[in-house]
Amino acid sequence: MFSIDLIQQIKEWKRGSTLPICLGCDVGGSGLRVRLSDFHDSAKYVDLGHAKAQKTAELLKVLEDLQQKILQVEPTTVCLGAAIAVAGPIKNNTVILTNWKGPAEERTLSITQLPKGLFPKDRSYFLNDLEAGAYGVIAAYEQSILEENFVQLFTDRAPTGPILAKGRTAVLAMGSGLGAALVTRTPLLKNPLVLPTELGHLQIAPNMATHKYFQDEQELIQHISDHYYGGKLDPEYEDICSGRGLQLAFQFYHKKLTGEVLPLEQIDAGDVAKKAIAGEKDAYNALRAHYIFYLRAAKAIATSLSCESCVLSLDNQVKNHPFVMKIAKELEEEFYEFIRPDWMTSVRVYSQKSILNFNILGTDYMAHA
Ligand code: BGC
């Protein structure tokens, strides 16, 4: 639940007889984050931090409690715009969240279930999380705070240029799932167009027999397929490029090194990343594979969507920044090794280097739209 002390700050935004606000909400694997902002000035905001929720019922309880607390702080508060970001494809204003566990009915959410006082009818947006992230990139661009949060990778292979391309930009995030959205700027439209995608679920393109990593990758992909698909089907990129994917990759490399099969519940993805950064071999190989496949997915996405720029965002990317820089040469090779090399010459890749929550920025941006 969110603290009422933080909510008190909204009182300062009262104008006349009412207190008009906007609400941005980002629902992640472990719970939700909320930003309240002044309807008249989005520069005035309060971030309420994180509240736990891993089921629809828990999420609704947190939001209903928030609605109550806001009215308790200031009974004249009126929410004039809201947006909520969720993982999974949204159809008919309904989503089955992909980053929560359990039966589908416990993680299904419709916009109509949200408390009306916080999510006003016809002024609320239900967004895919990467769609929100892409709006966050646009918001950061408009506020001139985009460039400072990224470093351009592979500058010996690609020209320098703006993160938000004049044409198309792919915004990617590898967290509890693998998300991707496209931003298109075109003279045909006044504003950039954001297209949410489900490209993290593309099936992996394996390397062929004479590739130097063929054997190692073949075994890893088989290990993942054995776990999810009875060894029959090619896994999706998210099966390795995600928290659960890193656990599985570590299980594979640890077994290869020691012969021991660790139960997945005993493997913490965050710990694996820390060990990898410290140079422990099994963890290093797991995190390396996690990023190699990420760049392979990025290559497929950037080429098939004709992107000039490819943005690797999220706090994990920031935490793993030293590791990414350490293996940058290998990642470069992976990214630019493509069957149509001439398509790759001008694709720019950016890696987030400092913490900025683009999903919250994007939901707030849309709440004010
Ligand atoms: C979902 C996407 C989401 C991504 C990142 C995937 O599992 O299907 O909609 O953008 O995870 O959270």
Side-chain angles (χ1 to χ4, degrees):
M1 301 287 168
F2 295 115
S3 127
I4 198 155
D5 292 345
L6 282 174
I7 302 171
Q8 299 287 351
Q9 295 179 40
I10 67 172
K11 281 187 187 162
E12 290 164 22
W13 312 331
K14 186 158 179 178
R15 304 225 175 165
S17 57
T18 62
L19 169 56
I21 62 164
C22 283
L23 179 144
C25 174
D26 177 36
V27 185
S30 58
L32 62 154
R33 291 182 184 279
V34 167
R35 172 173 294 190
L36 301 177
S37 58
D38 181 349
F39 171 76
H40 293 289
D41 178 5
S42 59
K44 292 185 188 150
Y45 65 84
V46 42
D47 283 330
L48 302 183
H50 182 269
K52 276 192 196 154
Q54 290 181 307
K55 282 180 185 169
T56 303
E58 290 168 3
L59 173 82
L60 293 176
K61 206 157 165 229
V62 173
L63 290 173
E64 273 147 21
D65 175 78
L66 174 63
Q67 174 173 271
Q68 233 174 35
K69 282 178 178 154
I70 289 176
L71 289 177
Q72 195 180 325
V73 164
E74 177 53 60
T76 67
T77 309
V78 43
C79 186
L80 296 180
I84 183 167
V86 288
I90 299 170
K91 288 182 184 149
N92 298 326
N93 274 324
T94 302
V95 67
I96 301 174
L97 283 96
T98 51
N99 52 2
W100 288 349
K101 292 195 183 110
E105 56 274 20
E106 286 182 4
R107 46 192 180 88
T108 301
L109 178 70
S110 296
I111 194 163
T112 50
Q113 289 174 281
L114 298 166
K116 303 278 175 297
L118 297 184
F119 293 87
K121 196 167 174 289
D122 303 327
R123 285 176 178 236
S124 298
Y125 289 101
F126 205 29
L127 305 172
N128 170 262
D129 52 0
L130 258 290
E131 183 180 15
Y135 280 118
V137 166
I138 295 168
Y141 167 78
E142 289 179 3
Q143 293 167 25
S144 305
I145 55 165
L146 182 59
E147 300 283 335
E148 68 201 46
N149 288 291
F150 287 89
V151 59
Q152 186 174 352
L153 302 177
F154 323 142
T155 42
D156 54 332
R157 295 291 290 267
T160 52
I163 295 174
L164 189 64
K166 285 214 173 76
R168 298 182 191 185
T169 305
V171 180
L172 310 183
M174 178 163 72
S176 44
L178 176 59
L182 175 73
V183 184
T184 305
R185 291 161 87 202
T186 152
L188 299 174
L189 295 173
K190 213 169 106 231
N191 296 316
L193 176 76
V194 171
L195 182 77
T197 81
E198 289 296 334
L199 289 166
H201 300 290
L202 276 178
Q203 282 181 287
I204 288 175
N207 281 322
M208 291 294 103
T210 61
H211 194 277
K212 61 182 171 186
Y213 294 131
F214 174 72
Q215 196 52 40
D216 191 64
E217 281 192 2
Q218 202 58 37
E219 288 171 25
L220 172 63
I221 292 173
Q222 189 66 57
H223 181 76
I224 294 171
S225 179
D226 288 347
H227 181 79
Y228 288 114
Y229 313 111
K232 245 174 107 177
L233 301 175
D234 217 5
E236 58 181 21
Y237 280 103
E238 184 178 289
D239 286 336
I240 177 160
C241 303
S242 58
R244 63 185 171 85
L246 184 56
Q247 285 176 305
L248 213 46
F250 180 73
Q251 185 185 53
F252 170 76
Y253 283 109
H254 185 75
K255 178 173 169 235
K256 219 169 146 75
L257 190 72
T258 65
E260 179 192 20
V261 181
L262 288 173
L264 288 173
E265 320 75 79
Q266 280 177 30
I267 304 172
D268 178 78
D271 283 349
V272 174
K274 277 187 208 138
K275 285 181 185 165
I277 292 168
E280 291 184 29
K281 194 163 180 237
D282 43 6
Y284 183 97
N285 286 342
L287 195 62
R288 182 189 146 278
H290 181 72
Y291 274 100
I292 289 278
F293 283 94
Y294 190 20
L295 270 291
R296 196 172 303 171
K299 165 170 62 185
I301 292 168
T303 52
S304 53
L305 296 178
S306 295
C307 296
E308 292 150 45
S309 167
C310 191
V311 177
L312 310 180
S313 63
L314 216 66
D315 51 351
N316 288 336
Q317 192 71 24
V318 178
K319 281 185 214 144
N320 296 335
H321 185 67
F323 188 86
V324 170
M325 297 319 285
K326 201 161 157 183
I327 63 162
K329 264 279 152 232
E330 278 188 85
L331 298 178
E332 174 171 327
E333 221 173 273
E334 176 60 55
F335 190 76
Y336 291 99
E337 194 172 59
F338 187 54
I339 47 172
R340 292 179 185 271
D342 53 317
W343 283 18
M344 300 306 292
T345 49
S346 59
V347 187
R348 310 187 295 273
V349 182
Y350 300 89
S351 180
Q352 192 176 345
K353 63 167 185 191
S354 43
I355 297 284
L356 183 65
N357 185 332
F358 286 99
N359 292 4
I360 273 291
L361 208 57
T363 52
D364 180 65
Y365 181 78
M366 290 308 285
H368 284 268

PDB file of all heavy atoms in Angstrom, residues 59-92:
ATOM      1  N   LEU A  59      -3.876  -5.910  -7.075  1.00  0.00           N
ATOM      2  CA  LEU A  59      -3.665  -4.626  -7.763  1.00  0.00           C
ATOM      3  C   LEU A  59      -4.853  -3.696  -7.518  1.00  0.00           C
ATOM      4  O   LEU A  59      -4.693  -2.517  -7.180  1.00  0.00           O
ATOM      5  CB  LEU A  59      -3.493  -4.882  -9.267  1.00  0.00           C
ATOM      6  CG  LEU A  59      -3.427  -3.642 -10.140  1.00  0.00           C
ATOM      7  CD1 LEU A  59      -2.024  -3.066 -10.127  1.00  0.00           C
ATOM      8  CD2 LEU A  59      -3.826  -3.937 -11.581  1.00  0.00           C
ATOM      9  N   LEU A  60      -6.061  -4.251  -7.670  1.00  0.00           N
ATOM     10  CA  LEU A  60      -7.266  -3.429  -7.510  1.00  0.00           C
ATOM     11  C   LEU A  60      -7.381  -2.926  -6.072  1.00  0.00           C
ATOM     12  O   LEU A  60      -7.779  -1.787  -5.827  1.00  0.00           O
ATOM     13  CB  LEU A  60      -8.512  -4.227  -7.913  1.00  0.00           C
ATOM     14  CG  LEU A  60      -8.589  -4.577  -9.414  1.00  0.00           C
ATOM     15  CD1 LEU A  60      -9.794  -5.442  -9.707  1.00  0.00           C
ATOM     16  CD2 LEU A  60      -8.619  -3.311 -10.279  1.00  0.00           C
ATOM     17  N   LYS A  61      -6.969  -3.771  -5.130  1.00  0.00           N
ATOM     18  CA  LYS A  61      -7.036  -3.382  -3.723  1.00  0.00           C
ATOM     19  C   LYS A  61      -6.093  -2.191  -3.458  1.00  0.00           C
ATOM     20  O   LYS A  61      -6.477  -1.215  -2.803  1.00  0.00           O
ATOM     21  CB  LYS A  61      -6.620  -4.578  -2.851  1.00  0.00           C
ATOM     22  CG  LYS A  61      -7.201  -4.523  -1.495  1.00  0.00           C
ATOM     23  CD  LYS A  61      -7.276  -5.896  -0.855  1.00  0.00           C
ATOM     24  CE  LYS A  61      -7.527  -5.645   0.611  1.00  0.00           C
ATOM     25  NZ  LYS A  61      -6.641  -6.374   1.473  1.00  0.00           N
ATOM     26  N   VAL A  62      -4.900  -2.264  -3.998  1.00  0.00           N
ATOM     27  CA  VAL A  62      -3.933  -1.167  -3.815  1.00  0.00           C
ATOM     28  C   VAL A  62      -4.494   0.123  -4.419  1.00  0.00           C
ATOM     29  O   VAL A  62      -4.426   1.197  -3.814  1.00  0.00           O
ATOM     30  CB  VAL A  62      -2.561  -1.509  -4.463  1.00  0.00           C
ATOM     31  CG1 VAL A  62      -1.637  -0.303  -4.426  1.00  0.00           C
ATOM     32  CG2 VAL A  62      -1.916  -2.695  -3.776  1.00  0.00           C
ATOM     33  N   LEU A  63      -5.089   0.015  -5.622  1.00  0.00           N
ATOM     34  CA  LEU A  63      -5.594   1.218  -6.292  1.00  0.00           C
ATOM     35  C   LEU A  63      -6.830   1.776  -5.576  1.00  0.00           C
ATOM     36  O   LEU A  63      -6.991   3.005  -5.466  1.00  0.00           O
ATOM     37  CB  LEU A  63      -5.901   0.910  -7.761  1.00  0.00           C
ATOM     38  CG  LEU A  63      -4.666   0.655  -8.626  1.00  0.00           C
ATOM     39  CD1 LEU A  63      -5.051   0.183 -10.021  1.00  0.00           C
ATOM     40  CD2 LEU A  63      -3.776   1.901  -8.727  1.00  0.00           C
ATOM     41  N   GLU A  64      -7.687   0.887  -5.064  1.00  0.00           N
ATOM     42  CA  GLU A  64      -8.862   1.369  -4.327  1.00  0.00           C
ATOM     43  C   GLU A  64      -8.434   2.057  -3.030  1.00  0.00           C
ATOM     44  O   GLU A  64      -8.971   3.104  -2.653  1.00  0.00           O
ATOM     45  CB  GLU A  64      -9.837   0.212  -4.048  1.00  0.00           C
ATOM     46  CG  GLU A  64     -10.793   0.021  -5.221  1.00  0.00           C
ATOM     47  CD  GLU A  64     -11.208  -1.432  -5.435  1.00  0.00           C
ATOM     48  OE1 GLU A  64     -11.099  -2.238  -4.492  1.00  0.00           O
ATOM     49  OE2 GLU A  64     -11.625  -1.761  -6.572  1.00  0.00           O
ATOM     50  N   ASP A  65      -7.439   1.469  -2.380  1.00  0.00           N
ATOM     51  CA  ASP A  65      -6.901   2.067  -1.159  1.00  0.00           C
ATOM     52  C   ASP A  65      -6.286   3.443  -1.477  1.00  0.00           C
ATOM     53  O   ASP A  65      -6.472   4.410  -0.733  1.00  0.00           O
ATOM     54  CB  ASP A  65      -5.841   1.115  -0.576  1.00  0.00           C
ATOM     55  CG  ASP A  65      -5.126   1.688   0.615  1.00  0.00           C
ATOM     56  OD1 ASP A  65      -5.726   1.673   1.711  1.00  0.00           O
ATOM     57  OD2 ASP A  65      -3.984   2.172   0.465  1.00  0.00           O
ATOM     58  N   LEU A  66      -5.614   3.534  -2.608  1.00  0.00           N
ATOM     59  CA  LEU A  66      -5.011   4.814  -3.016  1.00  0.00           C
ATOM     60  C   LEU A  66      -6.093   5.864  -3.253  1.00  0.00           C
ATOM     61  O   LEU A  66      -5.978   7.016  -2.804  1.00  0.00           O
ATOM     62  CB  LEU A  66      -4.166   4.598  -4.281  1.00  0.00           C
ATOM     63  CG  LEU A  66      -3.592   5.854  -4.912  1.00  0.00           C
ATOM     64  CD1 LEU A  66      -2.622   6.570  -3.963  1.00  0.00           C
ATOM     65  CD2 LEU A  66      -2.858   5.514  -6.226  1.00  0.00           C
ATOM     66  N   GLN A  67      -7.151   5.440  -3.940  1.00  0.00           N
ATOM     67  CA  GLN A  67      -8.264   6.358  -4.218  1.00  0.00           C
ATOM     68  C   GLN A  67      -8.821   6.929  -2.907  1.00  0.00           C
ATOM     69  O   GLN A  67      -9.031   8.135  -2.772  1.00  0.00           O
ATOM     70  CB  GLN A  67      -9.342   5.601  -4.982  1.00  0.00           C
ATOM     71  CG  GLN A  67     -10.615   6.378  -5.217  1.00  0.00           C
ATOM     72  CD  GLN A  67     -11.563   5.618  -6.141  1.00  0.00           C
ATOM     73  OE1 GLN A  67     -11.498   5.757  -7.356  1.00  0.00           O
ATOM     74  NE2 GLN A  67     -12.448   4.830  -5.579  1.00  0.00           N
ATOM     75  N   GLN A  68      -8.977   6.038  -1.941  1.00  0.00           N
ATOM     76  CA  GLN A  68      -9.509   6.444  -0.634  1.00  0.00           C
ATOM     77  C   GLN A  68      -8.570   7.425   0.073  1.00  0.00           C
ATOM     78  O   GLN A  68      -8.994   8.459   0.581  1.00  0.00           O
ATOM     79  CB  GLN A  68      -9.622   5.198   0.223  1.00  0.00           C
ATOM     80  CG  GLN A  68     -10.991   4.993   0.823  1.00  0.00           C
ATOM     81  CD  GLN A  68     -11.033   3.650   1.532  1.00  0.00           C
ATOM     82  OE1 GLN A  68     -10.043   3.199   2.116  1.00  0.00           O
ATOM     83  NE2 GLN A  68     -12.172   3.009   1.483  1.00  0.00           N
ATOM     84  N   LYS A  69      -7.275   7.087   0.039  1.00  0.00           N
ATOM     85  CA  LYS A  69      -6.291   7.938   0.729  1.00  0.00           C
ATOM     86  C   LYS A  69      -6.207   9.328   0.095  1.00  0.00           C
ATOM     87  O   LYS A  69      -6.081  10.329   0.783  1.00  0.00           O
ATOM     88  CB  LYS A  69      -4.906   7.273   0.704  1.00  0.00           C
ATOM     89  CG  LYS A  69      -4.767   6.160   1.729  1.00  0.00           C
ATOM     90  CD  LYS A  69      -3.410   5.515   1.643  1.00  0.00           C
ATOM     91  CE  LYS A  69      -3.267   4.432   2.702  1.00  0.00           C
ATOM     92  NZ  LYS A  69      -2.292   3.404   2.306  1.00  0.00           N
ATOM     93  N   ILE A  70      -6.295   9.370  -1.229  1.00  0.00           N
ATOM     94  CA  ILE A  70      -6.237  10.669  -1.921  1.00  0.00           C
ATOM     95  C   ILE A  70      -7.418  11.544  -1.480  1.00  0.00           C
ATOM     96  O   ILE A  70      -7.246  12.731  -1.170  1.00  0.00           O
ATOM     97  CB  ILE A  70      -6.236  10.467  -3.464  1.00  0.00           C
ATOM     98  CG1 ILE A  70      -4.902   9.869  -3.903  1.00  0.00           C
ATOM     99  CG2 ILE A  70      -6.501  11.772  -4.191  1.00  0.00           C
ATOM    100  CD1 ILE A  70      -4.818   9.537  -5.391  1.00  0.00           C
ATOM    101  N   LEU A  71      -8.589  10.939  -1.390  1.00  0.00           N
ATOM    102  CA  LEU A  71      -9.781  11.713  -1.000  1.00  0.00           C
ATOM    103  C   LEU A  71      -9.709  12.118   0.467  1.00  0.00           C
ATOM    104  O   LEU A  71     -10.217  13.172   0.861  1.00  0.00           O
ATOM    105  CB  LEU A  71     -11.054  10.924  -1.300  1.00  0.00           C
ATOM    106  CG  LEU A  71     -11.357  10.793  -2.790  1.00  0.00           C
ATOM    107  CD1 LEU A  71     -12.584   9.935  -3.020  1.00  0.00           C
ATOM    108  CD2 LEU A  71     -11.536  12.161  -3.461  1.00  0.00           C
ATOM    109  N   GLN A  72      -9.063  11.272   1.249  1.00  0.00           N
ATOM    110  CA  GLN A  72      -8.876  11.585   2.672  1.00  0.00           C
ATOM    111  C   GLN A  72      -7.941  12.803   2.822  1.00  0.00           C
ATOM    112  O   GLN A  72      -8.192  13.711   3.598  1.00  0.00           O
ATOM    113  CB  GLN A  72      -8.243  10.368   3.336  1.00  0.00           C
ATOM    114  CG  GLN A  72      -8.289  10.351   4.846  1.00  0.00           C
ATOM    115  CD  GLN A  72      -7.623   9.055   5.344  1.00  0.00           C
ATOM    116  OE1 GLN A  72      -7.729   7.997   4.703  1.00  0.00           O
ATOM    117  NE2 GLN A  72      -6.918   9.153   6.446  1.00  0.00           N
ATOM    118  N   VAL A  73      -6.895  12.830   2.000  1.00  0.00           N
ATOM    119  CA  VAL A  73      -5.943  13.953   2.028  1.00  0.00           C
ATOM    120  C   VAL A  73      -6.621  15.233   1.553  1.00  0.00           C
ATOM    121  O   VAL A  73      -6.436  16.304   2.125  1.00  0.00           O
ATOM    122  CB  VAL A  73      -4.702  13.621   1.150  1.00  0.00           C
ATOM    123  CG1 VAL A  73      -3.897  14.851   0.829  1.00  0.00           C
ATOM    124  CG2 VAL A  73      -3.834  12.574   1.828  1.00  0.00           C
ATOM    125  N   GLU A  74      -7.398  15.115   0.460  1.00  0.00           N
ATOM    126  CA  GLU A  74      -8.057  16.299  -0.089  1.00  0.00           C
ATOM    127  C   GLU A  74      -9.342  15.865  -0.812  1.00  0.00           C
ATOM    128  O   GLU A  74      -9.296  15.375  -1.946  1.00  0.00           O
ATOM    129  CB  GLU A  74      -7.085  17.019  -1.047  1.00  0.00           C
ATOM    130  CG  GLU A  74      -7.660  18.223  -1.727  1.00  0.00           C
ATOM    131  CD  GLU A  74      -8.268  19.232  -0.772  1.00  0.00           C
ATOM    132  OE1 GLU A  74      -7.551  19.757   0.093  1.00  0.00           O
ATOM    133  OE2 GLU A  74      -9.491  19.487  -0.887  1.00  0.00           O
ATOM    134  N   PRO A  75     -10.492  16.070  -0.150  1.00  0.00           N
ATOM    135  CA  PRO A  75     -11.761  15.573  -0.717  1.00  0.00           C
ATOM    136  C   PRO A  75     -12.121  16.190  -2.067  1.00  0.00           C
ATOM    137  O   PRO A  75     -12.941  15.637  -2.797  1.00  0.00           O
ATOM    138  CB  PRO A  75     -12.807  15.948   0.341  1.00  0.00           C
ATOM    139  CG  PRO A  75     -12.031  16.292   1.574  1.00  0.00           C
ATOM    140  CD  PRO A  75     -10.663  16.692   1.163  1.00  0.00           C
ATOM    141  N   THR A  76     -11.515  17.331  -2.424  1.00  0.00           N
ATOM    142  CA  THR A  76     -11.885  17.947  -3.715  1.00  0.00           C
ATOM    143  C   THR A  76     -11.016  17.450  -4.868  1.00  0.00           C
ATOM    144  O   THR A  76     -11.119  17.954  -5.988  1.00  0.00           O
ATOM    145  CB  THR A  76     -11.748  19.490  -3.644  1.00  0.00           C
ATOM    146  OG1 THR A  76     -10.349  19.804  -3.508  1.00  0.00           O
ATOM    147  CG2 THR A  76     -12.541  20.080  -2.499  1.00  0.00           C
ATOM    148  N   THR A  77     -10.162  16.466  -4.596  1.00  0.00           N
ATOM    149  CA  THR A  77      -9.275  15.970  -5.658  1.00  0.00           C
ATOM    150  C   THR A  77     -10.090  15.327  -6.780  1.00  0.00           C
ATOM    151  O   THR A  77     -11.008  14.551  -6.529  1.00  0.00           O
ATOM    152  CB  THR A  77      -8.307  14.900  -5.106  1.00  0.00           C
ATOM    153  OG1 THR A  77      -7.681  15.429  -3.951  1.00  0.00           O
ATOM    154  CG2 THR A  77      -7.253  14.529  -6.142  1.00  0.00           C
ATOM    155  N   VAL A  78      -9.712  15.677  -8.009  1.00  0.00           N
ATOM    156  CA  VAL A  78     -10.374  15.057  -9.147  1.00  0.00           C
ATOM    157  C   VAL A  78      -9.292  14.655 -10.156  1.00  0.00           C
ATOM    158  O   VAL A  78      -8.439  15.461 -10.511  1.00  0.00           O
ATOM    159  CB  VAL A  78     -11.477  15.973  -9.733  1.00  0.00           C
ATOM    160  CG1 VAL A  78     -11.047  17.406  -9.836  1.00  0.00           C
ATOM    161  CG2 VAL A  78     -11.941  15.484 -11.084  1.00  0.00           C
ATOM    162  N   CYS A  79      -9.344  13.386 -10.551  1.00  0.00           N
ATOM    163  CA  CYS A  79      -8.360  12.894 -11.507  1.00  0.00           C
ATOM    164  C   CYS A  79      -8.897  13.138 -12.919  1.00  0.00           C
ATOM    165  O   CYS A  79      -9.952  12.626 -13.285  1.00  0.00           O
ATOM    166  CB  CYS A  79      -8.061  11.421 -11.268  1.00  0.00           C
ATOM    167  SG  CYS A  79      -6.728  10.849 -12.318  1.00  0.00           S
ATOM    168  N   LEU A  80      -8.135  13.903 -13.718  1.00  0.00           N
ATOM    169  CA  LEU A  80      -8.633  14.286 -15.054  1.00  0.00           C
ATOM    170  C   LEU A  80      -7.975  13.511 -16.193  1.00  0.00           C
ATOM    171  O   LEU A  80      -8.309  13.709 -17.357  1.00  0.00           O
ATOM    172  CB  LEU A  80      -8.431  15.789 -15.266  1.00  0.00           C
ATOM    173  CG  LEU A  80      -9.225  16.693 -14.322  1.00  0.00           C
ATOM    174  CD1 LEU A  80      -8.951  18.163 -14.626  1.00  0.00           C
ATOM    175  CD2 LEU A  80     -10.721  16.416 -14.427  1.00  0.00           C
ATOM    176  N   GLY A  81      -7.004  12.675 -15.853  1.00  0.00           N
ATOM    177  CA  GLY A  81      -6.363  11.867 -16.889  1.00  0.00           C
ATOM    178  C   GLY A  81      -5.531  10.788 -16.235  1.00  0.00           C
ATOM    179  O   GLY A  81      -4.914  11.022 -15.191  1.00  0.00           O
ATOM    180  N   ALA A  82      -5.530   9.589 -16.822  1.00  0.00           N
ATOM    181  CA  ALA A  82      -4.758   8.496 -16.227  1.00  0.00           C
ATOM    182  C   ALA A  82      -4.274   7.551 -17.310  1.00  0.00           C
ATOM    183  O   ALA A  82      -4.848   7.491 -18.401  1.00  0.00           O
ATOM    184  CB  ALA A  82      -5.621   7.730 -15.219  1.00  0.00           C
ATOM    185  N   ALA A  83      -3.201   6.849 -17.003  1.00  0.00           N
ATOM    186  CA  ALA A  83      -2.726   5.788 -17.896  1.00  0.00           C
ATOM    187  C   ALA A  83      -2.078   4.708 -17.050  1.00  0.00           C
ATOM    188  O   ALA A  83      -1.424   5.005 -16.043  1.00  0.00           O
ATOM    189  CB  ALA A  83      -1.732   6.346 -18.907  1.00  0.00           C
ATOM    190  N   ILE A  84      -2.286   3.473 -17.466  1.00  0.00           N
ATOM    191  CA  ILE A  84      -1.716   2.337 -16.746  1.00  0.00           C
ATOM    192  C   ILE A  84      -0.992   1.450 -17.760  1.00  0.00           C
ATOM    193  O   ILE A  84      -1.492   1.237 -18.865  1.00  0.00           O
ATOM    194  CB  ILE A  84      -2.811   1.567 -15.962  1.00  0.00           C
ATOM    195  CG1 ILE A  84      -2.205   0.422 -15.139  1.00  0.00           C
ATOM    196  CG2 ILE A  84      -3.920   1.036 -16.860  1.00  0.00           C
ATOM    197  CD1 ILE A  84      -3.163  -0.176 -14.103  1.00  0.00           C
ATOM    198  N   ALA A  85       0.213   0.985 -17.382  1.00  0.00           N
ATOM    199  CA  ALA A  85       1.017   0.147 -18.283  1.00  0.00           C
ATOM    200  C   ALA A  85       1.073  -1.272 -17.754  1.00  0.00           C
ATOM    201  O   ALA A  85       1.354  -1.487 -16.571  1.00  0.00           O
ATOM    202  CB  ALA A  85       2.428   0.710 -18.380  1.00  0.00           C
ATOM    203  N   VAL A  86       0.817  -2.228 -18.632  1.00  0.00           N
ATOM    204  CA  VAL A  86       0.794  -3.644 -18.231  1.00  0.00           C
ATOM    205  C   VAL A  86       1.541  -4.498 -19.249  1.00  0.00           C
ATOM    206  O   VAL A  86       1.624  -4.135 -20.431  1.00  0.00           O
ATOM    207  CB  VAL A  86      -0.661  -4.162 -18.135  1.00  0.00           C
ATOM    208  CG1 VAL A  86      -1.389  -3.592 -16.946  1.00  0.00           C
ATOM    209  CG2 VAL A  86      -1.435  -3.868 -19.422  1.00  0.00           C
ATOM    210  N   ALA A  87       2.047  -5.643 -18.799  1.00  0.00           N
ATOM    211  CA  ALA A  87       2.757  -6.552 -19.705  1.00  0.00           C
ATOM    212  C   ALA A  87       1.768  -7.512 -20.345  1.00  0.00           C
ATOM    213  O   ALA A  87       0.953  -8.126 -19.659  1.00  0.00           O
ATOM    214  CB  ALA A  87       3.808  -7.343 -18.930  1.00  0.00           C
ATOM    215  N   GLY A  88       1.862  -7.619 -21.664  1.00  0.00           N
ATOM    216  CA  GLY A  88       0.985  -8.545 -22.392  1.00  0.00           C
ATOM    217  C   GLY A  88       0.209  -7.804 -23.458  1.00  0.00           C
ATOM    218  O   GLY A  88       0.049  -6.577 -23.380  1.00  0.00           O
ATOM    219  N   PRO A  89      -0.270  -8.541 -24.456  1.00  0.00           N
ATOM    220  CA  PRO A  89      -1.066  -7.893 -25.505  1.00  0.00           C
ATOM    221  C   PRO A  89      -2.439  -7.483 -24.970  1.00  0.00           C
ATOM    222  O   PRO A  89      -3.075  -8.262 -24.263  1.00  0.00           O
ATOM    223  CB  PRO A  89      -1.201  -8.996 -26.570  1.00  0.00           C
ATOM    224  CG  PRO A  89      -0.879 -10.286 -25.890  1.00  0.00           C
ATOM    225  CD  PRO A  89      -0.065  -9.986 -24.674  1.00  0.00           C
ATOM    226  N   ILE A  90      -2.853  -6.268 -25.321  1.00  0.00           N
ATOM    227  CA  ILE A  90      -4.156  -5.768 -24.854  1.00  0.00           C
ATOM    228  C   ILE A  90      -5.178  -5.957 -25.974  1.00  0.00           C
ATOM    229  O   ILE A  90      -4.967  -5.461 -27.083  1.00  0.00           O
ATOM    230  CB  ILE A  90      -4.057  -4.274 -24.465  1.00  0.00           C
ATOM    231  CG1 ILE A  90      -3.048  -4.106 -23.323  1.00  0.00           C
ATOM    232  CG2 ILE A  90      -5.420  -3.703 -24.090  1.00  0.00           C
ATOM    233  CD1 ILE A  90      -2.680  -2.674 -23.018  1.00  0.00           C
ATOM    234  N   LYS A  91      -6.221  -6.686 -25.670  1.00  0.00           N
ATOM    235  CA  LYS A  91      -7.278  -6.869 -26.676  1.00  0.00           C
ATOM    236  C   LYS A  91      -8.612  -6.556 -26.025  1.00  0.00           C
ATOM    237  O   LYS A  91      -8.871  -7.019 -24.916  1.00  0.00           O
ATOM    238  CB  LYS A  91      -7.272  -8.309 -27.191  1.00  0.00           C
ATOM    239  CG  LYS A  91      -6.049  -8.534 -28.069  1.00  0.00           C
ATOM    240  CD  LYS A  91      -5.988  -9.905 -28.661  1.00  0.00           C
ATOM    241  CE  LYS A  91      -4.677 -10.017 -29.432  1.00  0.00           C
ATOM    242  NZ  LYS A  91      -4.135 -11.340 -29.453  1.00  0.00           N
ATOM    243  N   ASN A  92      -9.444  -5.783 -26.707  1.00  0.00           N
ATOM    244  CA  ASN A  92     -10.733  -5.333 -26.161  1.00  0.00           C
ATOM    245  C   ASN A  92     -10.557  -4.738 -24.766  1.00  0.00           C
ATOM    246  O   ASN A  92     -11.316  -5.052 -23.850  1.00  0.00           O
ATOM    247  CB  ASN A  92     -11.737  -6.493 -26.074  1.00  0.00           C
ATOM    248  CG  ASN A  92     -12.039  -7.051 -27.436  1.00  0.00           C
ATOM    249  OD1 ASN A  92     -12.071  -6.299 -28.413  1.00  0.00           O
ATOM    250  ND2 ASN A  92     -12.217  -8.365 -27.520  1.00  0.00           N
TER     251      ASN A  92
END
